Amino acid sequence: MKQSSKPGYECTLRMPRQEIEAIREQLDAGSAGQGNSPQRQYRRWTYEQQPVTVRMTHPGDMVTTLQYACRNLSNGGMSILHSSFVHEGTRCVVLLPHPTKGAIQIQGAVIRCRHCRGKIHEVGIRFDASVDLSEVLSLDSADNSLMLESIKPESLVGSVLVIEESELDRMYLRKCLADTQLNVVAVGSAAEGLARCKETFDLIICDFNLSEMNGLELLQKLRQSNNQTPMIMVSADDSLRTKLPLFESVPDGVVPKPFKPQRLLGALAQFLLADANGSASGGLLYSSLPPTDAAYSLLPTFVGEVAKLSGELQEAVGRGDSAVAKRITFQLKGAAATFGYEVLGKVAERAHTELSAGGTVATCRTSIDNVLGACARVRERKAA
């Protein structure tokens, strides 16, 4: 058994932390080598820093608020270890610890409960809407670009610029993306990349080791010219992560070389898959308005207004000002549909409804975070 220097903690299992860790290891060993599940969309992360408080509403409206040992966590749900059986369909609220925001309240439901051994059961909880866990898990840019696990290549649509000097690597990248619906433009130098970046792309894939300038220097030039296209950097340089803090601009994701196609697809999906639930994670949001619409010419103004309202909403959250949050979500839900941003409109409407029903910034935090996430993903127009 692996020894642990971490302190014990109180949870429903009522056993030493070392024994809980041994149970996790046995469960993980039992599922090792099975590969990705086609039913599982999000990557699972080990979460054992502390117990997680979950409020469950059991059959008969009996409510319990207990602390559970967590086996793993993902954007879409979590697995907890419990000392008794829990019925499928049981509604629950997960109070997930956040390093700066306190406890984030996440609505969900139990989707499975299986017996492990003795009185120990593994309980699977699915969140009602996906949650951005990058801050909760303290992920760096490389890990944060791999939240999604099972990706259907044909679901990836849009345009991608590849900046890669190696012809062989350009061929390999095209092969990785062959089954997608992406329009891939590949260039062989930093100068060509900067020139093509004047066009509109949904995403840029750039190698770090370019001869004229490295990928971070190229990214800095793009940001200085106000080009905010998301960039995923690929690199065989193991020291890249240590170099990131030295630069003003950092990539939106990092994929180390060598990589398998599914890992690259998972990174791209973070930016190219628009989440139908409009959660804080998902693809870029573009207007659905046709050029003939009277509001089409005002899209740049609207995008600027969204950024302004997003900043005001963040300030309101910091102050705990529910009245201002209610006003801003009302503004966003009213204007978003007019300008063709249906996903933003839906999440803003959901947050406004909760706030109007007497909710506070604290109790509506997940819905408000979804609004802020959608605001960050708003762009003017998709590439033709």
Side-chain angles (χ1 to χ4, degrees):
M1 181 185 298
K2 183 178 72 174
Q3 297 297 312
S4 173
S5 60
K6 300 174 185 176
Y9 57 36
E10 290 296 326
C11 66
T12 60
L13 295 184
R14 298 183 181 278
M15 60 176 57
R17 184 159 187 160
Q18 291 177 343
E19 293 186 29
I20 296 174
E21 291 179 347
I23 293 170
R24 288 194 186 100
E25 290 176 358
Q26 290 172 4
L27 291 172
D28 291 342
S31 60
Q34 296 179 7
N36 294 345
S37 167
Q39 286 78 40
R40 188 171 61 240
Q41 180 181 7
Y42 297 105
R43 181 180 177 184
R44 298 171 299 176
W45 302 86
T46 299
Y47 186 83
E48 55 185 35
Q49 291 91 327
Q50 55 187 303
V52 176
T53 301
V54 181
R55 183 166 61 249
M56 294 190 181
T57 304
H58 302 273
D61 292 331
M62 182 183 73
V63 179
T64 60
T65 302
L66 301 170
Q67 289 188 307
Y68 300 86
C70 180
R71 179 189 174 193
N72 53 49
L73 182 65
S74 80
N75 282 29
M78 67 187 304
S79 170
I80 59 176
L81 301 176
H82 186 32
S83 57
S84 61
F85 178 81
V86 180
H87 290 278
E88 291 186 14
T90 298
R91 293 294 303 171
C92 52
V93 178
V94 177
L95 304 178
L96 191 64
H98 187 283
T100 60
K101 300 176 182 177
I104 302 175
Q105 298 192 30
I106 307 172
Q107 303 281 341
V110 173
I111 59 170
R112 71 175 184 279
C113 182
R114 68 185 182 98
H115 178 258
C116 297
R117 75 181 194 195
K119 294 183 178 181
I120 301 173
H121 294 73
E122 182 184 20
V123 181
I125 297 174
R126 176 182 294 158
F127 300 151
D128 291 346
S130 60
V131 180
D132 184 359
L133 297 178
S134 56
E135 294 181 356
V136 172
L137 297 171
S138 300
L139 302 178
D140 62 22
S141 57
D143 288 332
N144 193 26
S145 67
L146 297 171
M147 283 292 192
L148 298 172
E149 179 177 62
S150 181
I151 307 298
K152 295 180 179 179
E154 63 272 17
S155 67
L156 299 182
V157 180
S159 59
V160 175
L161 174 65
V162 174
I163 306 174
E164 171 62 70
E165 291 183 341
S166 167
E167 182 178 1
L168 183 60
D169 284 351
R170 292 198 300 273
M171 292 172 62
Y172 179 65
L173 283 165
R174 284 190 177 277
K175 185 175 180 61
C176 290
L177 304 178
D179 294 331
T180 70
Q181 299 187 58
L182 296 171
N183 175 33
V184 180
V185 175
V187 298
S189 70
E192 290 180 273
L194 288 172
R196 296 302 296 262
C197 282
K198 295 177 182 178
E199 305 170 30
T200 302
F201 290 93
D202 295 314
L203 188 67
I204 300 171
I205 301 174
C206 182
D207 185 35
F208 172 69
N209 297 295
L210 301 174
S211 56
E212 300 170 61
M213 63 183 76
N214 66 46
L216 290 174
E217 292 169 335
L218 185 148
L219 175 61
Q220 193 159 331
K221 285 182 177 293
L222 290 180
R223 298 298 185 251
Q224 289 172 348
S225 66
N226 203 32
N227 185 324
Q228 300 300 319
T229 304
M231 176 184 285
I232 292 176
M233 196 157 290
V234 294
S235 175
D237 188 341
D238 294 334
S239 66
L240 175 56
R241 295 189 187 191
T242 63
K243 296 176 181 177
L244 292 180
L246 303 177
F247 287 80
E248 180 180 344
S249 301
V250 296
D252 300 274
V254 176
V255 178
K257 291 182 179 180
F259 54 80
K260 295 182 179 180
Q262 191 66 21
R263 186 168 190 181
L264 179 66
L265 294 177
L268 269 61
Q270 291 291 127
F271 305 94
L272 299 175
L273 282 182
D275 187 340
N277 292 321
S279 70
S281 64
L284 299 177
L285 302 178
Y286 295 93
S287 173
S288 62
L289 294 182
T292 55
D293 192 287
Y296 188 80
S297 62
L298 298 176
L299 287 179
T301 302
F302 175 73
V303 171
E305 182 67 12
V306 167
K308 174 176 173 292
L309 291 174
S310 177
E312 293 178 2
L313 183 56
Q314 290 179 16
E315 293 176 359
V317 169
R319 300 192 305 270
D321 194 331
S322 302
V324 172
K326 179 180 174 183
R327 171 182 62 78
I328 293 173
T329 54
F330 178 78
Q331 288 180 257
L332 288 170
K333 85 179 184 70
T338 301
F339 288 93
Y341 294 92
E342 289 78 9
V343 169
L344 174 59
K346 287 179 181 178
V347 294
E349 181 177 10
R350 186 179 305 140
H352 181 261
T353 298
E354 293 181 9
L355 290 164
S356 298
T360 65
V361 164
T363 60
C364 302
R365 189 55 189 269
T366 297
S367 294
I368 293 174
D369 282 348
N370 286 343
V371 174
L372 292 170
C375 286
R377 293 153 51 203
V378 165
R379 299 292 188 274
E380 289 180 27
R381 307 172 180 91
K382 198 171 184 68

